[in-house]
Amino acid sequence: MEYRKLGNTKLQLSAITYGAFAIGGNMWGGNEEQESIKAVQASIDHGVSTIDTAPFYGFGLSEELIGKAVAGYDRSKIQLLTKFGLVWDQSNQGKGEFFFDAADNDGNKLPVYKYAAKESIIREVEASLKRLGTDYIDLLQIHWPDATTPIAETMETLELLIKQGKIRAAGVSNYSLQQMQTSQQSIQLASNQVPYSMLNRAIEQDVVPYAQQNHIGIIAYSPLERGLLTGKYKPDFKLSDDDHRNGYFNQFSIGKVNLFLEAIRPLAQEKKASLSQLVLRWTTQKPGITVVLAGARNAAQAIDNAKAVDFSLSAEELAFIGQTFEGVFG
């Protein structure tokens, strides 16, 4: 495993970071608790020291499972990353910016709001610490921008939490260039967690250059486009009715995606790697990308993800992938 310094912080994160959205169950067709715990533990046992989660993932379930999974490990050697700013409980309902209606794992409808006011952040952090079974969070990130709360208020609260020792570093997620610039007026950001993949490279235009210039880490999420870049989904795919990917995949031409993947498959075979490992490795080697999130719902998937850094791609091989992509997608 490779370990990389996050921005200006003292944190060293694993290049492949365990992404814990799917084990929350909601929006992913349910959850299997013991398999999820084994997935987290298999990741750690294969060098993945960093775990990224959020209260919204399973409405607390993802954090609880991670707390159980890491209980037997040396906490000082594991980096726990979580978020705040998506609220659904009765005490906060109606505050902030309405985001969408979600369903929990029992099918109950819950309205979700973006809300990042001081008192709400402090309440969320205490709940996350309890669920994770720890007394500090390595990196706390606002999950989505909240238009109803001044960015300065949010960032000043994060600074307070750092001084209190509740968190070691503060980051953002899904922030634009302008929002990052505003945040920097109040705090030195550790990172911005943003979507990035072979199919979605928008952050290369402005977010990545700004991050590089200002020593801000980039945590890339959805590098496999929620499984689409593994090659296992065909145009006639059908997942369980409560799996959000039924709609998510519609933004892509699955036929073209699979054509591209088949064209680069020989390179994966040459590296004795799976397609998903090749895609993950490509992502870790892109300029400005600090770490890459990869989800796993069982131990086998977790181990496969961890091994994505067991090989490297040369400049010529990276160019081949780029040229192949352009040839398919134009």
Side-chain angles (χ1 to χ4, degrees), residues 64 125-134:
E64 290 174 2
V125 167
E126 292 302 325
S128 289
L129 289 170
K130 183 176 180 180
R131 287 190 290 258
L132 290 166
T134 187

Side-chain angles (χ1 to χ4, degrees), residues 208-281:
V208 168
Y210 179 79
Q212 289 176 309
Q213 292 163 9
N214 291 275
H215 309 290
I216 299 170
I218 293 292
I219 300 174
Y221 76 79
S222 293
L224 293 171
E225 288 298 354
R226 311 190 190 192
L228 184 60
L229 286 172
T230 65
K232 65 183 180 181
Y233 294 104
K234 307 306 176 187
D236 59 349
F237 80 96
K238 184 68 172 73
L239 299 168
S240 61
D241 291 340
D242 56 348
D243 195 314
H244 76 290
R245 290 174 294 177
N246 286 312
Y248 183 82
F249 287 168
N250 288 337
Q251 65 185 295
F252 306 109
S253 168
I254 298 181
K256 283 189 174 182
V257 169
N258 288 333
L259 184 64
F260 164 67
L261 292 174
E262 286 307 310
I264 64 172
R265 187 184 293 276
L267 177 57
Q269 293 171 337
E270 180 183 327
K271 298 291 183 180
K272 296 182 171 56
S274 64
L275 277 172
S276 62
Q277 288 171 332
L278 181 65
V279 172
L280 288 174
R281 192 46 164 156

Side-chain angles (χ1 to χ4, degrees), residues 101-153:
D101 285 317
D104 65 16
N105 288 320
D106 295 319
N108 300 310
K109 178 182 173 183
L110 295 171
V112 177
Y113 291 81
K114 301 175 186 175
Y115 188 49
K118 180 178 180 179
E119 75 277 3
S120 184
I121 298 171
I122 292 171
R123 183 163 52 244
E124 281 202 75
V125 167
E126 292 302 325
S128 289
L129 289 170
K130 183 176 180 180
R131 287 190 290 258
L132 290 166
T134 187
D135 58 1
Y136 70 94
I137 292 162
D138 293 279
L139 175 69
L140 184 66
Q141 310 150 91
I142 181 171
H143 205 150
W144 284 89
D146 165 26
T148 69
T149 303
I151 288 177
E153 177 182 341

